Amino acid sequence: MLFPQRMLRLVWVVRRQQIASSLARLVKTGVFHLAEHHMLGETENLDELQRLFESKTRHKRLTALQAMLTDKLPEKTLLNYRLIELPHKELTPPDGAVEAADGILLWAGGVPPEELESHFYDPHSKSEAALPFEMDDCRWQMLFDTQASIGYVGSWAIIDGWIPASEQERIMKLLHSEAFSITDAESCGLALEQVPSLQRRPSFLNGFAAMMRMFGVTGYRELDPTLVLGIGFVFMFGLMFADLGQGLLMFLVGVWLSRGAAERPTLWTHAGQVMIPIGLSAAFFGAMFGSCFAHEDWIPALWFHPMDQILFYLGVCIVIGMTVICMGMAIGLINAWRTWHWKQAIWSDFGLVGLLFYTSMIILVSGLFSGHATLQLYGMIASASILTAFLLHQLFSMGDESVLMRIMLSLINLYDFCLKFLVQTISFVRIAAFTIAHIALSTVLLIAMDASAELPLLSWSIFVLGNFAIIIIEGLLVSIQVVRLNFFEFFTKFVSGQGIAFKPLAYPKEASL
């Protein structure tokens, strides 16, 4: 669940005339990902064959329309009924013509004008295009769609792609009498960036998986951040939107929206799957902070009221931010090791040097706040040493520049290196800011209720509508902020977003033109 499925490279050599049937066999397996570009052999241009196929398909459609629209008319009619083929779709249809299909019109009139004569369809004067062999439209279309991914050597075709390692036995049984080879993705001779990623996630993470697709596709062998996104999103949303009653309402709405998610997943079912855990989180932190339906006097706070201890709560948010940033860099180092990019990760801003510098600064700041002289000393020595090493690395890695230019660029990079961590840490203060904003909105709602206390019906209407408005408006705003914190302050440290999604080979949706 934490990492993509292990992939194997499948290379299958078939006779040229068997390429379509071979692809069809792989379609039935539902587990073969055809390489996006051919890697073995030479590609073949099938444009002329595709033109013949399109001509034949169009002829079949016109013949069917002719039989359906005009052949059943009486021999003598007051009007002439003819099919018109528009050479260009952008041409204006002539008077008396209605569209019968894409680019095909039905004309009804008396004596046809001369300018239309050349466009009238005559089924007796046209014959079907001659194709080298018969095959159903789905297979023809798949052959054309995959032509850039199939290599040819003489009379042989090469199908090159990927299968999950869990399906190796089934594929080997299917191709036991064929000429094929299966090798590990790590030892097949291709870069890991060319290997597709296939994730196996539990169904309750489908909503967060849909959200994760906005960031990009996890690279092969990289940690799948969907579970991490789910945990972080739920935790941060609950802190920002802490209300017991409103959270439970959001949970109930999520249960209602997620009905039928297993059979027919949609945008709304994915939203429901996300709303269930974040609603429970909001309800939990609402109980911790003593907030229920905008009231802070209905239930006691199990932890504390944020407005009573703002500085403490700001410190909690900063600690959360430092933890998230350190986790992001640590996971980034794990991904660099798994993808064989360890050397590049050592000196990157959020690599090993970044993690060491940030932890040394945490030690230094902890010593300053606690008054612990030893922590201060270790923190200062460690951070100064790391900054010096980073500066020297910058100086010596710019061999083509002049000495003055190298010094200036190194100082600028050093400044940017330090500023990034400060800005990203402070960014987590928005957790406390939106918690306080939620309390402020709740206070405005209570003031409006007090102002209309003499009209109980109006007061309770304001209470109900106000709570729903807070759930909708602030729920959306808080969601955006949580996504931002996860995507920019967390995922940028360990998710490349440049992976290739595993797409099983399938017949094209449009099998005919």
Side-chain angles (χ1 to χ4, degrees):
M1 185 174 68
L2 290 179
F3 294 96
Q5 296 292 296
R6 189 167 67 90
M7 285 288 143
L8 304 175
R9 184 185 182 186
L10 169 63
V11 178
W12 183 12
V13 180
V14 300
R15 293 190 179 277
R16 183 184 291 262
Q17 61 270 26
Q18 296 176 342
I19 181 64
S21 60
S22 300
L23 290 173
R25 291 174 66 183
L26 291 172
V27 167
K28 291 181 180 179
T29 67
V31 294
F32 176 74
H33 175 104
L34 186 65
E36 293 186 1
H37 304 286
H38 74 98
M39 301 175 186
L40 300 172
E42 300 293 332
T43 55
E44 188 172 88
N45 192 329
L46 303 180
D47 290 347
E48 181 61 26
L49 191 60
Q50 186 171 7
R51 186 191 63 78
L52 293 176
F53 170 74
E54 292 172 355
S55 175
K56 176 182 177 180
T57 305
R58 188 173 181 82
H59 177 75
K60 289 169 58 177
R61 292 182 61 194
L62 284 166
T63 302
L65 284 170
Q66 178 79 15
M68 183 176 61
L69 299 174
T70 64
D71 286 359
K72 294 182 180 180
L73 293 173
E75 292 184 3
K76 294 183 179 181
T77 58
L78 297 177
L79 298 175
N80 288 319
Y81 295 91
R82 305 288 296 275
L83 288 179
I84 302 174
E85 296 182 78
L86 283 183
H88 303 289
K89 295 180 181 180
E90 61 270 13
L91 292 181
T92 304
D95 295 337
V98 294
E99 186 171 3
D102 186 24
I104 303 172
L105 305 176
L106 175 64
W107 180 82
V111 179
E114 294 181 0
E115 60 270 17
L116 293 181
E117 285 288 350
S118 60
H119 301 312
F120 281 140
Y121 171 68
D122 184 0
H124 304 293
S125 65
K126 296 187 178 183
S127 59
E128 294 186 4
L131 290 168
F133 46 87
E134 289 297 325
M135 193 165 58
D136 60 74
D137 290 352
C138 286
R139 293 192 179 188
W140 275 117
Q141 195 61 55
M142 183 175 62
L143 190 62
F144 299 137
D145 291 345
T146 59
Q147 63 176 308
S149 301
I150 304 297
Y152 294 90
V153 178
S155 59
W156 299 92
I158 303 174
I159 302 174
D160 193 357
W162 308 94
I163 60 171
S166 57
E167 300 290 339
Q168 179 179 2
E169 185 175 350
R170 181 159 71 99
I171 297 297
M172 291 182 70
K173 288 181 179 180
L174 177 68
L175 307 179
H176 68 280
S177 60
E178 305 289 343
F180 71 95
S181 67
I182 295 179
T183 54
D184 290 333
E186 292 80 2
S187 58
C188 70
L190 297 177
L192 294 180
E193 287 77 10
Q194 296 177 269
V195 184
S197 299
L198 174 61
Q199 312 291 349
R200 300 291 189 188
R201 306 182 181 101
S203 58
F204 66 84
L205 286 177
N206 287 344
F208 294 105
M211 190 183 301
M212 189 63 218
R213 284 194 287 270
M214 296 188 299
F215 187 86
V217 179
T218 306
Y220 182 65
R221 290 182 63 84
E222 290 183 349
L223 181 139
D224 177 21
T226 306
L227 179 61
V228 181
L229 171 64
I231 296 172
F233 193 99
V234 170
F235 178 72
M236 294 181 194
F237 186 95
L239 283 173
M240 294 188 193
F241 196 93
D243 190 285
L244 176 61
Q246 294 171 1
L248 291 177
L249 277 179
M250 189 176 296
F251 164 76
L252 293 175
V253 172
V255 172
W256 180 72
L257 288 176
S258 60
R259 295 175 304 166
E263 296 79 18
R264 191 178 180 183
T266 63
L267 177 63
W268 291 110
T269 59
H270 287 158
Q273 289 174 321
V274 172
M275 290 177 68
I276 290 174
I278 65 175
L280 291 176
S281 178
F284 171 78
F285 283 104
M288 293 292 103
F289 295 158
S291 177
C292 182
F293 285 121
H295 285 80
E296 293 196 348
D297 53 356
W298 282 8
I299 58 174
L302 299 180
W303 189 12
F304 67 94
H305 289 290
M307 292 299 292
D308 296 339
Q309 302 184 46
I310 293 180
L311 292 179
F312 171 74
Y313 190 42
L314 287 173
V316 170
C317 295
I318 292 295
V319 171
I320 292 172
M322 291 188 297
T323 304
V324 169
I325 292 172
C326 288
M327 285 179 56
M329 289 187 286
I331 296 173
L333 291 176
I334 294 174
N335 283 344
W337 172 68
R338 285 179 53 84
T339 57
W340 308 331
H341 293 146
W342 173 255
K343 292 182 179 179
Q344 297 91 315
I346 292 178
W347 293 103
S348 63
D349 289 356
F350 298 120
L352 180 62
V353 65
L355 179 59
L356 293 175
F357 170 72
Y358 194 63
T359 51
S360 67
M361 291 303 298
I362 292 175
I363 294 172
L364 175 59
V365 173
S366 300
L368 291 174
F369 275 94
S370 63
H372 202 293
T374 304
L375 290 179
Q376 296 179 36
L377 179 61
Y378 286 161
M380 290 181 62
I381 294 174
S383 58
S385 301
I386 294 167
L387 289 178
T388 302
F390 180 82
L391 184 63
L392 292 174
H393 174 75
Q394 293 289 319
L395 282 170
F396 290 109
S397 62
M398 304 179 191
D400 297 335
E401 303 291 343
S402 63
V403 175
L404 180 60
M405 181 61 68
R406 278 188 285 170
I407 293 175
M408 291 180 60
L409 291 176
S410 299
L411 291 175
I412 292 173
N413 290 337
L414 182 66
Y415 171 77
D416 180 68
F417 175 73
C418 298
L419 190 64
K420 282 180 181 178
F421 292 105
L422 176 62
V423 171
Q424 292 197 5
T425 304
I426 294 176
S427 182
F428 282 86
V429 172
R430 71 183 68 229
I431 295 177
F434 274 85
T435 304
I436 296 171
H438 181 79
I439 297 173
L441 281 176
S442 301
T443 303
V444 171
L445 174 60
L446 296 179
I447 292 173
M449 288 182 61
D450 291 339
S452 58
E454 297 180 357
L455 300 172
L457 181 60
L458 177 60
S459 179
W460 280 103
S461 298
I462 292 174
F463 173 75
V464 173
L465 295 177
N467 274 281
F468 274 108
I470 290 175
I471 291 174
I472 295 172
I473 298 174
E474 192 179 356
L476 180 62
L477 294 176
V478 168
S479 298
I480 294 172
Q481 295 303 318
V482 175
V483 168
R484 187 205 178 282
L485 285 174
N486 279 278
F487 280 11
F488 294 98
E489 269 67 43
F490 192 29
F491 288 169
T492 52
K493 297 172 178 61
F494 66 94
V495 182
S496 65
Q498 303 298 316
I500 301 172
F502 184 88
K503 295 180 180 178
L505 184 65
Y507 288 120
K509 293 181 179 180
E510 292 293 334
S512 59
L513 303 174

